[in-house]
Amino acid sequence: MEKRLGTQFITLQQNCSQYIKKLSRNKHFRGLKIYLFILALVVGIIVTPIGDSISGTLNKLPTNTYKVATKPSYKTSWIGNTFGGSKWVQIQMAGMYVSPEGKVYINSHWDEAGREVGIYQNGDVIGKFDDLHGWGRLGGMAITGNQQYLYIAMQQGHEGKPEDDYPPKGTTWYCVRRYDLSGKPAPFTGGRGWDKSMLIINSENEVTGLATIGKELYVSDLASNRVRVFNTDTMQELRSFSVTKPGAIAIDRQNNVWVIQNHQNQAKIVRYSPQGQQLAQITDVAKPTAIAFNPQGQLLVADNSQNQQILIYKVADKPVKIGNFGDKGGIYSNIRGQVKDSKLYGITGVGTDKAGNIYVSNNGFNNTGADLRKFTPAGKLQWRLLGLQFLDNADADPDSDGKDVFTKNEHFVMDYSKNSGKEWTYKAYTLDKFRYPDDGRLHTTPTAAFVRRLSGKRLMYLSSEMMAERLLIYRFDGEIAVPCGIFGKNHLKWPPNQPKDGSWLWRDINGDGAIQSNEYKTLGAEDGSVWGWEVDSKGDIWQAAEAGYIKHYPYQKLDKNGCPIYGQGTGEKIPMPAPFKTLTRIKYIPQQDVMYLGGYTTERPNVDGDWGLVGTEIVRYDNWSKKKTLRWRIALPYNPNTDPKLHIKSMDVAGDRVFAVASKKAEVYVYQASTGKQLQILTPGAEVAGESGWVDVPYGIRAFRRSNGEYLVFVEENAKGKVMMYRLPG
């Protein structure tokens, strides 16, 4: 049976309608046929003229032909995931169960490539659970097991027929689903769903906790404020007892049940008898997210507050804290943001094996940084697995010659003498949740970084959302990227107190990284048609609007706090130059006064009506500030009649190269910037099993030329938690 996603669930813990639109275009999202039908209505006969271009003209080749020699002289590499090929570390980690033998099972709501539940052991990926990525099925935030079965919290949407035992339209089942130890669904008498392996708990809220002991399965039913107990073999309910806002569960040697409760901003961990009698409680943990017992019978508590530690309690009588694990303050201890073996961040799971080894899952903040670690009982790191990137791309610090590379949340240090996939070292996590809660990375979904040096200072700009709705601006304080500005093209739900009408700019005038109402400036009329954003090497900001104009905001200087100032009265509209009918992308090289624009022309219109793309042509203009002399036109690969469609999603320019990447197969087309001549096509190499996910974000390609002439080409790889990196000789 073909798998279909068919859901409009998770948006990375946000109300992010743009992400749902993204899912409708995802290669795994084939259940909502109406999306594909609408896109197909206007598809016509497409001509795909690709070839060499000369100044002011466009060469024409026969219909549907493409002739260019692909040069093999490049290397494929990647950043941000421990594995680069058929193996990968999932992009979210919401709950964890560790077996006595040291197998680690990680549950999550979503993984783009289908590892909603991953299985890990000895620092390796050894499997995943079946049948959670399609037909409205998603993972969840709790998981447990025994010697025969594994039990996961999951969701079932209405994407199948009710007669095949799917919920009716508008209803979601929040379930416990039973699996065998290999990751195959394990049906049972009375089970629900298409394969009879699901136990429906409610249709209102997620299952928030699971634990087993003997033949009993304990389930936190948040909707009914109860802990419910089921037989692990028959899955029949045995009893239940009242618990307000029950969360994660752990069971001690005496069969007592420990439950995390988060109610009215107050957290506690309460001990109950197996029948539900309250016995004791722990109230000194600020934000408990996970609990587990070690072989000594001590309770391990993940504290996801500013402590970012695992707390250890002796619980034989009255619970007493006897120790902790991990640096106090986690990733923000000592040098804030700097990565260290013992610094945790965004803790979602803790567990031990029968030897007492400690396992910790981290998920960053706002689902940013899947990070699984195993420690010895004494606290020495044994292995670490990373799945850091999603809807993300990388850019190099121009003053580092490519040594320092940044994604939206991470700082990597590169050593290009090493083999593919080994060049990067994870140096820092640049988001500071506790010091800067107004950071746009906590409230939106940034998708790509522009790293620039202005007045000698490093700054980072982030394109935000898949619809390119905002441009977030950051200055650096050590390793932490401090929010200091936002360009908004229209009125949005976030941030608060923004102008109700028009486009706008927020600048952090007082330098505290917080957004105050007196720090906004209205820039002009609202225009949601702006897709093109550019931050040139001098710090000027450019916008290209589908409505048919360009806006330019010149950089003036850094203020006393290091935030860039864009002056009052700037942002004049520049008319769209010929031959364009629609503008979608923009790239300006101030040292050469050269402008590159992407969009649609009369000769090559947007035939199928698809959106968010570069268009059908890239045009170079010389002497832009005075004469705007058209030098050449590149006819981009374009064929919406193929399956998958051939569209160009992103473009960039570095040195004497223009790079354009296709959205579906992620091929990178390389052109000579001086002539427009096509040079080669880059495709994923054997180092990554010859595969890539889609390029889903408007700035899914970044290019950088090192001093030795080598080109680094970073490409979004949205399927398996990494950024692709191609290395081309100069």
Side-chain angles (χ1 to χ4, degrees):
M1 181 184 297
E2 179 187 3
K3 292 187 178 181
R4 305 171 186 266
L5 180 56
T7 184
Q8 294 184 349
F9 175 66
I10 194 161
T11 61
L12 303 178
Q13 304 295 323
Q14 305 170 64
N15 294 323
C16 177
S17 62
Q18 291 78 14
Y19 182 47
I20 294 175
K21 292 179 181 178
K22 173 258 176 187
L23 287 176
S24 72
R25 306 192 324 279
N26 186 276
K27 64 183 177 183
H28 303 296
F29 197 111
R30 298 187 173 122
L32 297 181
K33 293 183 178 179
I34 187 169
Y35 283 96
L36 302 179
F37 175 74
I38 292 171
L39 290 177
L41 286 177
V42 294
V43 173
I45 299 174
I46 308 300
V47 176
T48 312
I50 307 297
D52 299 346
S53 301
I54 60 176
S55 178
T57 65
L58 185 67
N59 287 357
K60 297 182 179 180
L61 295 179
T63 300
N64 293 330
T65 63
Y66 187 81
K67 297 179 180 179
V68 63
T70 300
K71 298 181 180 180
S73 57
Y74 64 89
K75 295 179 181 179
T76 304
S77 190
W78 73 92
I79 295 171
N81 200 291
T82 301
F83 304 99
S86 56
K87 293 181 181 180
W88 74 99
V89 179
Q90 64 200 86
I91 60 174
Q92 295 179 17
M93 295 185 174
M96 180 176 70
Y97 165 70
V98 181
S99 76
E101 296 73 31
K103 282 189 179 180
V104 185
Y105 301 86
I106 301 289
N107 196 3
S108 68
H109 297 98
W110 173 258
D111 180 68
E112 188 79 5
R115 198 182 300 279
E116 275 77 10
V117 177
I119 310 172
Y120 307 89
Q121 190 173 29
N122 298 325
D124 199 3
V125 178
I126 62 172
K128 67 183 183 70
F129 280 23
D130 289 350
D131 198 47
L132 281 170
H133 197 80
W135 288 97
R137 288 185 279 282
L138 296 166
M141 60 186 298
I143 183 168
T144 191
N146 57 26
Q147 293 181 343
Q148 187 174 3
Y149 296 113
L150 294 152
Y151 306 86
I152 69 163
M154 56 87 66
Q155 301 177 38
Q156 175 64 70
H158 63 265
E159 279 66 25
K161 297 178 181 180
E163 56 265 33
D164 294 329
D165 206 13
Y166 285 81
K169 186 175 181 180
T171 299
T172 298
W173 291 339
Y174 297 100
C175 306
V176 174
R177 194 175 189 188
R178 193 172 73 174
Y179 281 79
D180 65 25
L181 299 183
S182 70
K184 305 291 185 184
F188 53 90
T189 302
R192 298 296 303 274
W194 79 273
D195 68 351
K196 311 308 177 188
S197 66
M198 302 175 197
L199 174 68
I200 301 171
I201 301 301
N202 66 70
S203 59
E204 298 177 22
N205 294 106
E206 285 192 76
V207 171
T208 51
L210 291 169
T212 63
I213 189 166
K215 292 291 185 179
E216 294 188 338
L217 169 67
Y218 288 76
V219 179
S220 286
D221 182 359
L222 191 65
S224 65
N225 284 309
R226 302 191 71 78
V227 169
R228 300 167 64 182
V229 188
F230 298 85
N231 182 282
T232 56
D233 293 333
T234 67
M235 301 300 284
Q236 295 297 307
E237 187 162 6
L238 303 175
R239 62 187 181 278
S240 68
F241 52 91
S242 177
V243 177
T244 303
K245 302 297 181 183
I249 305 174
I251 301 174
D252 65 22
R253 292 172 171 177
Q254 289 73 40
N255 293 356
N256 293 315
V257 184
W258 295 76
V259 185
I260 292 177
Q261 294 176 252
N262 288 287
H263 181 52
Q264 296 179 346
N265 296 321
Q266 292 193 356
K268 57 185 177 181
I269 305 162
V270 183
R271 177 169 61 191
Y272 296 90
S273 72
Q275 304 302 320
Q277 179 185 359
Q278 184 171 327
L279 302 175
Q281 61 182 8
I282 298 170
T283 59
D284 60 349
V285 184
K287 192 173 182 179
T289 53
I291 50 178
F293 282 94
N294 65 15
Q296 292 75 41
Q298 298 164 340
L299 181 65
L300 308 183
V301 181
D303 182 3
N304 202 35
S305 70
Q306 293 194 39
N307 289 329
Q308 292 296 302
Q309 287 181 298
I310 305 300
L311 309 180
I312 304 171
Y313 287 82
K314 182 179 178 181
V315 296
D317 297 308
K318 181 180 178 180
V320 177
K321 180 182 170 185
I322 59 173
N324 52 61
F325 179 83
D327 295 358
K328 185 176 178 60
I331 196 73
Y332 307 121
S333 62
N334 195 11
I335 299 175
R336 298 183 75 85
Q338 184 183 62
V339 171
K340 184 181 174 184
D341 292 350
S342 55
K343 294 169 71 170
L344 307 175
Y345 64 124
I347 313 168
T348 58
V350 62
T352 64
D353 58 26
K354 62 185 178 182
N357 296 302
I358 301 169
Y359 301 77
V360 181
S361 63
N362 302 269
N363 203 42
F365 301 103
N366 196 19
N367 288 316
T368 54
D371 180 334
L372 175 63
R373 305 180 213 181
K374 177 184 177 181
F375 300 89
T376 66
K380 182 180 180 181
L381 182 69
Q382 293 192 308
W383 49 258
R384 182 179 195 176
L385 299 177
L386 299 171
L388 301 174
Q389 320 305 150
F390 181 57
L391 293 176
D392 203 354
N393 200 9
D395 197 14
D397 182 339
D399 279 14
S400 73
D401 197 29
K403 179 180 178 181
D404 292 298
V405 170
F406 291 82
T407 53
K408 59 186 175 184
N409 298 299
E410 293 85 22
H411 175 193
F412 299 102
V413 175
M414 310 296 288
D415 181 351
Y416 295 105
S417 68
K418 293 186 177 181
N419 293 331
S420 294
K422 304 296 184 183
E423 299 100 330
W424 57 278
T425 298
Y426 184 18
K427 183 178 181 182
Y429 182 72
T430 65
L431 188 158
D432 193 332
K433 168 185 171 64
F434 300 110
R435 188 170 286 183
Y436 303 109
D438 283 349
D439 193 323
R441 293 174 288 182
L442 296 170
H443 303 277
T444 71
T445 306
T447 57
F450 304 72
V451 181
R452 300 291 183 262
R453 285 278 179 167
L454 304 180
S455 304
K457 301 292 186 181
R458 178 195 293 146
L459 287 101
M460 181 171 69
Y461 298 73
L462 297 178
S463 170
S464 184
E465 310 294 348
M466 296 179 63
M467 311 287 287
E469 291 181 335
R470 311 169 182 83
L471 188 70
L472 310 177
I473 308 173
Y474 296 83
R475 61 182 175 85
F476 278 85
D477 180 5
E479 292 290 355
I480 299 299
V482 181
C484 69
I486 306 171
F487 275 83
K489 66 183 183 182
N490 48 23
H491 186 77
L492 304 163
K493 291 183 178 180
W494 185 90
N497 303 314
Q498 64 188 272
K500 295 187 180 301
D501 298 300
S503 57
W504 48 270
L505 168 65
W506 168 72
R507 180 167 67 87
D508 185 26
I509 295 173
N510 62 11
D512 64 357
I515 297 174
Q516 282 94 31
S517 58
N518 64 346
E519 295 179 326
Y520 286 98
K521 177 172 66 175
T522 300
L523 298 176
E526 180 173 307
D527 191 350
S529 78
V530 171
W531 274 95
W533 293 90
E534 160 71 346
V535 184
D536 69 31
S537 60
K538 291 186 176 180
D540 290 10
I541 291 176
W542 302 78
Q543 295 175 333
E546 289 181 327
Y549 63 83
I550 296 167
K551 273 191 173 183
H552 176 208
Y553 297 92
Y555 162 73
Q556 293 189 342
K557 64 178 182 179
L558 298 181
D559 66 18
K560 63 181 181 179
N561 300 306
C563 184
I565 297 175
Y566 294 90
Q568 191 76 27
T570 62
E572 74 280 6
K573 286 187 177 182
I574 301 169
M576 176 175 61
F580 285 104
K581 296 300 181 183
T582 304
L583 282 179
T584 60
R585 298 291 190 275
I586 185 167
K587 178 75 178 182
Y588 181 64
I589 312 297
Q591 295 85 350
Q592 303 172 12
D593 195 23
V594 170
M595 178 67 79
Y596 299 86
L597 297 176
Y600 300 93
T601 63
T602 300
E603 296 91 336
R604 289 165 184 81
N606 185 359
V607 178
D608 68 338
D610 211 339
W611 52 275
L613 305 170
V614 170
T616 54
E617 293 192 37
I618 297 174
V619 180
R620 170 174 169 163
Y621 301 86
D622 292 346
N623 201 13
W624 172 261
S625 61
K626 296 180 180 179
K627 293 184 178 180
K628 298 179 175 57
T629 303
L630 193 157
R631 180 162 178 172
W632 49 248
R633 296 167 63 179
I634 294 172
L636 293 170
Y638 181 65
N639 193 341
N641 286 328
T642 59
D643 184 17
K645 296 177 181 181
L646 177 57
H647 283 156
I648 297 299
K649 184 68 177 185
S650 306
M651 58 174 273
D652 202 11
V653 181
D656 191 32
R657 298 290 184 270
V658 177
F659 300 91
V661 63
S663 59
K664 303 299 191 296
K665 292 186 177 180
E667 314 100 323
V668 177
Y669 297 84
V670 185
Y671 305 88
Q672 189 171 44
S674 55
T675 66
K677 177 182 178 180
Q678 184 158 11
L679 301 176
Q680 64 188 119
I681 303 172
L682 312 179
T683 57
E687 301 90 339
V688 293
E691 63 182 23
S692 175
W694 288 10
V695 177
D696 268 350
V697 304
Y699 301 94
I701 191 166
R702 287 274 188 264
F704 181 83
R705 191 180 190 188
R706 300 178 63 210
S707 60
N708 64 0
E710 180 184 33
Y711 289 93
L712 306 175
V713 184
F714 303 106
V715 180
E716 178 204 7
E717 198 286 283
N718 81 331
K720 293 186 175 179
K722 63 181 179 290
V723 171
M724 202 79 79
M725 181 175 70
Y726 296 105
R727 299 177 59 182
L728 284 70

